[in-house]
Amino acid sequence: MISKETWNSIDDLVDSKKWIEQMDWSVFYDAASKTLKGGYSLKKNEDLQFQYGDLGTDARTAFFLAIATGGAPLDLWNSAKQVVEERYGIQYLGPGWKGGGLFLQGMTGLFLDERGTLMGKSMANMTYAQINHGWKKNYPVWGWSCCAAPDGSYLGVDKIVDSVVSPYASILSVIYYPKQVVENLKALEKFKIRTPFETDKGMRSFGFRDSVNIETGKMT
């Protein structure tokens, strides 16, 4: 039996609005550069020496929250970098394909409905460019993004390769291309990438794995 007090504690944990309202985003806003600081080190008691300034990244979730809660002015959004990348005549915002792939473009879309906005168009365009890339290269599947690679490495910025495809990358695009995403996931299933497996902690795991090498068939 779960006590009423326990249930109340759970309610508090999932009350995202309550947690968001308690955040003081102003400590991260840098008025000189009109962007957000990369973070703060409690151990060193100092700001991290980098900044988030690109609109085409998951950092815009923080931009949105900082502005919405009054922790930063609208200049934060208006001053964000809007570098444009182009592939197959299709334009979308950088850092783009090699700079994180669909992850950086699409992660904020899990929390904000970006359809009808610049970022929604950018995400849809990058997805279309990736679909085109798959067609042009005659690959059986598409979906390139940061991920854990089957060889044990992490494919982050500037390390994304054609041979490693990540299912979650195309899933991020389902709101824009539902038919194409479902077809892609069905094609990915042919690599046995949804085969249940035992984790190192003895738990049964289901669902798609993080990535597959489409040349070797090896999975993460």
Side-chain angles (χ1 to χ4, degrees):
M1 178 70 71
I2 298 177
S3 68
K4 182 178 179 181
E5 290 74 19
T6 301
W7 278 120
N8 288 338
S9 296
I10 294 173
D11 288 340
D12 287 342
L13 287 173
V14 298
D15 188 353
S16 57
K17 184 178 180 181
K18 175 183 176 181
W19 285 104
I20 290 172
E21 289 176 345
Q22 291 177 352
M23 295 178 183
D24 180 10
W25 288 92
S26 64
V27 299
F28 295 110
Y29 180 65
D30 182 3
S33 61
K34 296 182 179 180
T35 190
L36 292 184
K37 301 171 185 176
Y40 188 84
S41 172
L42 293 174
K43 185 176 181 179
K44 295 182 179 180
N45 196 33
E46 62 182 27
D47 293 326
L48 299 182
Q49 299 304 307
F50 69 95
Q51 296 173 324
Y52 282 120
D54 291 283
L55 190 62
T57 70
D58 51 341
R60 69 181 179 279
T61 308
F63 295 170
F64 180 87
L65 291 172
I67 295 169
T69 57
L74 190 56
D75 280 349
L76 170 60
W77 192 276
N78 295 334
S79 301
K81 295 177 186 176
Q82 297 183 26
V83 180
V84 175
E85 181 175 282
E86 181 175 317
R87 287 205 181 193
Y88 304 108
I90 305 164
Q91 294 186 337
Y92 47 85
L93 293 182
W97 200 303
K98 293 294 185 180
L102 290 173
F103 165 75
L104 291 188
Q105 288 281 320
M107 193 60 67
T108 298
L110 292 175
F111 309 100
L112 302 173
D113 186 351
E114 297 185 315
R115 289 173 294 180
T117 71
L118 172 64
M119 281 315 309
K121 181 178 180 180
S122 181
M123 176 60 177
N125 282 359
M126 178 183 265
T127 301
Y128 189 50
Q130 289 208 359
I131 293 172
N132 269 269
H133 187 63
W135 288 338
K136 297 284 186 181
K137 297 289 186 176
N138 199 31
Y139 293 144
V141 290
W142 57 272
W144 291 277
S145 191
C146 293
C147 64
D151 65 3
S153 65
Y154 181 73
L155 303 183
V157 176
D158 293 327
K159 294 182 179 180
I160 296 172
V161 294
D162 274 10
S163 58
V164 178
V165 171
S166 184
Y168 89 88
S170 60
I171 292 172
L172 287 172
S173 307
V174 71
I175 197 171
Y176 301 106
Y177 296 99
K179 181 176 182 291
Q180 290 83 352
V181 169
V182 171
E183 289 176 347
N184 191 52
L185 294 177
K186 287 181 177 179
L188 278 163
E189 286 185 317
K190 294 178 181 179
F191 288 92
K192 308 298 182 182
I193 199 169
R194 283 187 70 189
T195 304
F197 64 98
E198 296 288 339
T199 69
D200 55 3
K201 295 183 180 180
M203 298 176 65
R204 192 75 164 159
S205 182
F206 300 89
F208 286 98
R209 302 190 194 185
D210 200 39
S211 70
V212 60
N213 186 311
I214 60 176
E215 294 176 354
T216 67
K218 188 177 180 181
M219 294 177 282
T220 304

